[in-house]
Amino acid sequence: MQPLIATREATPVTAVKPSPKAPPKPPSRREAEKPRVDPAPSRAAYRMQRVMLTPAYRLTLRVLLPFVISMSVVAVYMSDADRRDAVVLGLQDLRNQIETRPEFMVKLMAIDGASTEVEADIREISQIDFPVSTFDLDLETLRTSILGLPAVADVGVRVKQLGVLEVTVTERQPALLWRSRNGVQVLDETGIVIGDLGSRTLRPDLPLIAGHGADRAVNEALELLRIAEPLQDRLRGLVRIGERRWDVVLDPDLRIMLPDDRPDLALERAIALHEAQDVLNRDVSALDLRLAARPTIRMNAGALDRWRQIKDMVVETGN
Amino acid sequence: MTMLYETQRAMRGMRKAAMQRGVVAVLDVGSSKIACLVLRIDQSGATYQGDGAGSLAGQVGFRVIGAATTRSRGVSFGEIDSMPEAERAIRTAVQAAQKMANIRVDHVIACFSGAQPRSYGLTGQVEIEDQAVSEQDISRVLAACDVPDYGHHREVLHAQPVNFALDHRSGLSDPRGQIGQVLSTDLHMLTVDATAVQNLAYCLKRCDLELAGIASSAYVTGISALVEDEQELGAACIDMGGGTTGISIFMKKHMISADTVRMGGDHVTGDISMALQIPTAHAERIKTFYGGVVATGRDDLERIELKSDTGDWNHDRRDVSVAELIGIMRPRVEEILEEVRHRLDAAGFDHLPSQQIVLTGGGSQIPGLDGLASRILGQRVRLGRPLRVHGLPQAATGPSFASSVGMCLFAARPQDEWWDFDLPVDRYPNKSLRRAVRWFKDNW
């Protein structure tokens, strides 16, 4: 195929004097026809394209082959135990580096709202060696273990900025002392034992209860103690009898025996009796209100003798 | 005859395999261009069985997903004359079409226009064995056709039963199940030069392609360029290609004759090139830009600059008027049309009830051709364009792609050929089971 317009070199109009160095330019000449490039693909290219258009080959070359190659490279590299260890070690090292960055380190524990003993307990049971990374800190376990302390009602544990582990403790408030065979124990208002007390005199401000099973009736005891406010100066404590009813023990060896049913009403009644007839200042050893229909007074021996003398005298007089 | 059965049946089996795979390429090996279309066959749409073309002219079953055209090399007069060149041209077209379709194509259906097709009308007659016509009767009547001696160097390209007659009723398209005594058939057989077919097959084999079918270009052009009623009532399709001009006559939706004039657009270009002494490529260019067959006064004024490359300034700086160009083109176009007229007359086209003539192919785009053709071929001449098919690029919708589109239709809905029917029982190769069963049936 010939091109439509032949390319020609422009004939120089002005004769240029040839420089001595450059060889003389050949006269203007038609360029030789360049053979046109055949657009046909070679047999190899044609076959290659057909192979590449085959779906199986395409899948193999694009997906399967890279996958197999990369997998085999990894497998060959990992087949050596030393290299495998090195890789695992490197990964662990990297992980460690990230974990021990100063941003993630906890340097100290701040405990709020706890008394000195409780704080010491918390520090003892948490057993954290500061500084420690936040990744190694199990806050939930720490919280459960702190909650296991008897003196702790509630606790919040969180990591604050600047590497502070903040432990916010709500302590149980001591409400009663419970004297039992194990000694004197401090109870909170729900009856849970907070701790032991060496002597009752250490906490003279707290009222005392005694008796087996008294810690399970703390609510009732507190209510009774509230009612017994007028007898505050004489009150020695409450005694749980038979795990079912209360005795109020007053100072000069006097008991008010309350029924197991509605002891508060009985106690109010006793106080009212006392205010009206000054019962409790008399020489009685017990005021028995267990039967509501029949309140009974147990007198002391001397009082009984006196009462008999008075009675006999009257009888004698009467004779 | 058995040889023919075997090769054609092998091709038909290949075509079925291609349909199963869903991808088939059609290849139009022409003298001026080689076009390759890649079709995606949708089996669900190909089940239309009714009469006529159906919705979308029966082309719901496929979609063109790749199309490529390349300048033809090594093909002249519709035949391969330089095998390596033609092979490379086919490779170019197939590769580009595959690239566009992004799928590999293994099966190709090819058509070519040359190889001197010759039509034969065959008749056969046979007595029906049972009362009703069975498949076997059709096989027997087809086998009873007396095949003329068409020469040992020729090969049958198409052999289509175009008509069945039962007793005195003619014009049956499907006589199966009908009751009668004597069944006769008319068969249209098209033979071509065996060497051309072998060359093409060898070329495609060198391109790693399986030949799944082969068709005459004149036939497939007729399928695509003639509308349905023209095919039904009778029409001739003139495919004016580059090296050859194909003629196919259709009647009752069957091709009844095909022929080829070994002249085409390349000869017009050659005339221009020789007369004006310019290169062929330039002659082709001014033919397509300024060509025509009817000169008007205006054409005297318009001058065409001629460019050639001899180095002689006077020779290279000439110009001609369009009227001169038309004066060169017209005699050759007239000669082609006259030759077509002769061939139509020889085929008995003037006895058809309807004498519609449809001009298509790249050569039919010469301005004023329909006027000239109607003076030579008769009044009822129109210019035909191929059907629209799914997915065909806009660039491939012109009349020069009529045969490519026809190949698509041919691939999707092939007509029944002789080899699609079963072999008659007595021609079965030695002692098959069916023959034994038949012997039992006959004797008890």
Side-chain angles (χ1 to χ4, degrees):
Chain A
M1 282 311 241
Q2 292 196 334
L4 292 183
I5 305 167
T7 51
R8 288 165 198 280
E9 281 181 24
T11 317
V13 180
T14 55
V16 181
K17 191 177 181 184
S19 66
K21 292 167 205 163
K25 215 175 172 187
S28 166
R29 188 186 294 171
R30 289 180 60 197
E31 284 186 353
E33 285 288 335
K34 280 182 193 158
R36 250 172 95 135
V37 181
D38 190 357
S42 67
R43 274 179 83 81
Y46 174 76
R47 286 205 171 136
M48 193 60 208
Q49 195 220 20
R50 282 171 64 81
V51 165
M52 290 309 290
L53 281 174
T54 312
Y57 274 95
R58 239 185 327 180
L59 188 72
T60 310
L61 282 181
R62 286 192 178 170
V63 181
L64 231 54
L65 201 62
F67 182 74
V68 166
I69 286 175
S70 52
M71 283 304 287
S72 54
V73 163
V74 169
V76 164
Y77 188 78
M78 285 296 183
S79 59
D80 190 28
D82 292 345
R83 280 186 289 208
R84 195 163 55 229
D85 290 347
V87 167
V88 170
L89 214 63
L91 285 178
Q92 281 177 348
D93 210 35
L94 188 68
R95 187 191 157 97
N96 207 22
Q97 271 182 21
I98 293 171
E99 282 180 355
T100 54
R101 284 182 70 83
E103 291 84 355
F104 295 127
M105 296 304 286
V106 175
K107 288 187 275 295
L108 57 98
M109 178 156 72
I111 300 176
D112 290 345
S115 58
T116 325
E117 307 93 67
V118 174
E119 187 177 334
D121 285 349
I122 289 174
R123 285 193 192 282
E124 192 186 328
I125 62 163
S126 59
Q127 286 187 338
I128 302 170
D129 307 333
F130 291 104
V132 69
S133 167
T134 44
F135 290 97
D136 300 335
L137 213 55
D138 190 353
L139 291 181
E140 196 49 44
T141 316
L142 182 65
R143 183 170 177 272
T144 351
S145 65
I146 292 176
L147 268 183
L149 288 176
V152 176
D154 194 15
V155 67
V157 180
R158 61 196 180 109
V159 175
K160 285 178 74 178
Q161 280 181 339
L162 301 172
V164 176
L165 175 65
E166 190 192 56
V167 179
T168 314
V169 178
T170 313
E171 282 197 356
R172 296 187 191 280
Q173 291 303 316
L176 289 171
L177 298 181
W178 179 34
R179 189 192 295 273
S180 63
R181 282 184 191 150
N182 304 329
V184 179
Q185 287 171 314
V186 185
L187 299 184
D188 78 336
E189 58 193 6
T190 56
I192 292 175
V193 177
I194 297 174
D196 291 340
L197 209 60
S199 161
R200 195 256 179 274
T201 48
L202 290 177
R203 292 300 296 266
D205 55 323
L206 293 180
L208 185 75
I209 60 174
H212 199 248
D215 56 335
R216 290 195 288 277
V218 167
N219 265 335
E220 218 172 39
L222 287 172
E223 173 68 15
L224 293 177
L225 288 168
R226 192 186 57 74
I227 294 168
E229 196 75 21
L231 306 173
Q232 184 66 40
D233 48 343
R234 295 178 58 191
L235 186 69
R236 287 183 62 186
L238 304 181
V239 181
R240 189 74 169 162
I241 307 290
E243 294 189 42
R244 62 181 177 89
R245 62 173 199 87
W246 291 100
D247 272 6
V248 181
V249 180
L250 297 182
D251 196 10
D253 197 14
L254 190 145
R255 282 175 181 251
I256 304 172
M257 301 156 90
L258 300 175
D260 52 353
D261 187 30
R262 298 308 300 265
D264 47 343
L265 291 182
L267 187 58
E268 279 174 4
R269 188 174 169 193
I271 290 169
L273 207 59
H274 172 61
E275 283 173 357
Q277 303 187 5
D278 205 16
V279 175
L280 300 177
N281 287 337
R282 305 191 183 210
D283 193 7
V284 292
S285 68
L287 176 60
D288 188 351
L289 299 173
R290 287 178 291 183
L291 294 178
R294 198 173 63 178
T296 314
I297 288 174
R298 186 190 306 156
M299 291 184 288
N300 286 325
L304 189 61
D305 292 342
R306 283 283 308 269
W307 184 68
R308 283 203 180 128
Q309 286 170 10
I310 294 167
K311 207 177 155 192
D312 290 343
M313 188 175 67
V314 171
V315 170
E316 286 168 14
T317 315
N319 285 335
Chain B
M1 208 64 201
T2 324
M3 265 288 287
L4 167 76
Y5 258 89
E6 278 165 7
T7 54
Q8 291 281 10
R9 285 200 150 197
M11 276 202 272
R12 184 52 56 100
M14 209 81 81
R15 195 184 69 80
K16 277 188 180 146
M19 295 288 155
Q20 285 292 326
R21 269 186 63 172
V23 177
V24 67
V26 300
L27 192 68
D28 173 22
V29 183
S31 319
S32 58
K33 68 159 176 30
I34 290 182
C36 179
L37 304 182
V38 179
L39 308 183
R40 182 182 288 290
I41 309 282
D42 181 13
Q43 284 289 330
S44 60
T47 54
Y48 177 75
Q49 293 290 338
D51 193 29
S55 62
L56 282 172
Q59 26 148 334
V60 284
F62 66 89
R63 182 180 178 83
V64 179
I65 55 172
T69 314
T70 186
R71 182 173 61 86
S72 181
R73 278 106 66 195
V75 181
S76 62
F77 298 116
E79 301 160 25
I80 292 168
D81 66 346
S82 165
M83 196 86 79
E85 286 284 312
E87 182 200 328
R88 274 159 42 168
I90 290 172
R91 270 210 311 255
T92 312
V94 171
Q95 188 185 39
Q98 275 180 349
K99 194 170 180 181
M100 178 174 166
N102 200 21
I103 199 165
R104 176 181 166 163
V105 184
D106 284 332
H107 300 91
V108 66
I109 300 177
C111 81
F112 61 98
S113 56
Q116 296 169 335
R118 249 176 249 155
S119 283
Y120 298 90
L122 274 56
T123 55
Q125 192 168 1
V126 78
E127 295 253 343
I128 294 172
E129 296 187 336
D130 301 332
Q131 279 195 332
V133 179
S134 65
E135 296 262 1
Q136 272 299 314
D137 291 322
I138 292 179
S139 306
R140 278 177 40 230
V141 74
L142 288 174
C145 291
D146 47 342
V147 180
D149 179 22
Y150 48 77
H152 66 277
H153 61 284
R154 295 183 69 80
E155 202 160 309
V156 177
L157 197 59
H158 295 287
Q160 296 161 338
V162 296
N163 184 27
F164 287 100
L166 195 56
D167 294 343
H168 300 291
R169 294 185 295 131
S170 184
L172 306 175
S173 61
D174 187 1
R176 280 178 298 178
Q178 301 197 34
I179 294 169
Q181 263 108 44
V182 179
L183 179 69
S184 60
T185 185
D186 296 320
L187 195 73
H188 171 240
M189 189 168 78
L190 191 73
T191 65
V192 290
D193 261 350
T195 49
V197 177
Q198 282 159 8
N199 286 345
L200 182 61
Y202 184 69
C203 249
L204 292 175
K205 197 181 164 201
R206 300 250 310 160
C207 296
D208 304 334
L209 297 167
E210 302 267 15
L211 191 59
I214 197 160
S216 161
S217 169
Y219 171 52
V220 292
T221 309
I223 295 176
S224 75
L226 298 183
V227 298
E228 203 177 339
D229 52 346
E230 284 170 348
Q231 288 184 20
E232 177 73 33
L233 298 173
C237 177
I238 316 291
D239 173 21
M240 307 186 71
T244 56
T245 298
I247 304 160
S248 57
I249 302 174
F250 276 74
M251 177 83 185
K252 294 204 167 192
K253 302 218 174 107
H254 290 287
M255 180 173 69
I256 55 171
S257 174
D259 210 339
T260 299
V261 177
R262 285 165 75 82
M263 277 188 289
D266 286 353
H267 296 83
V268 180
T269 308
D271 286 349
I272 296 168
S273 173
M274 275 186 275
L276 302 178
Q277 296 189 352
I278 52 175
T280 320
H282 188 44
E284 179 75 29
R285 185 178 169 80
I286 66 171
K287 180 184 85 171
T288 49
F289 270 12
Y290 307 102
V293 287
V294 181
T296 61
R298 173 81 189 161
D299 291 334
D300 285 330
L301 303 176
E302 196 173 347
R303 312 285 301 177
I304 310 166
E305 195 178 352
L306 301 180
K307 288 161 187 154
S308 54
D309 200 19
T310 59
D312 178 359
W313 193 88
N314 284 318
H315 184 269
D316 288 352
R317 291 283 178 275
R318 290 169 300 148
D319 55 2
V320 292
S321 68
V322 174
E324 280 175 275
L325 177 68
I326 289 172
I328 297 167
M329 287 175 67
R330 181 171 172 126
R332 180 62 85 167
V333 176
E334 276 180 350
E335 187 190 356
I336 293 171
L337 292 175
E338 292 281 1
E339 189 64 32
V340 167
R341 175 78 260 169
H342 286 314
R343 301 292 174 97
L344 286 178
D345 286 343
F349 179 65
D350 45 358
H351 300 300
L352 286 190
S354 161
Q355 298 183 14
Q356 179 77 41
I357 289 175
V358 176
L359 296 170
T360 185
S364 71
Q365 297 175 90
I366 303 174
L369 181 72
D370 48 346
L372 181 64
S374 64
R375 281 180 37 198
I376 297 174
L377 299 175
Q379 284 302 312
R380 304 191 54 188
V381 172
R382 74 169 180 94
L383 296 178
R385 297 171 64 85
L387 282 170
R388 296 185 190 172
V389 293
H390 283 304
L392 195 67
Q394 179 65 35
T397 53
S400 43
F401 288 86
S403 56
S404 307
V405 174
M407 290 289 291
C408 298
L409 303 177
F410 174 74
R413 274 167 51 84
Q415 229 160 357
D416 284 341
E417 308 241 10
W418 193 348
W419 34 85
D420 292 328
F421 296 96
D422 286 337
L423 272 174
V425 170
D426 50 342
R427 299 227 178 171
Y428 256 91
N430 47 16
K431 302 217 174 86
S432 71
L433 188 65
R434 287 183 71 174
R435 197 165 170 181
V437 169
R438 189 159 187 87
W439 185 84
F440 269 94
K441 261 191 184 170
D442 289 349
N443 289 280
W444 276 287

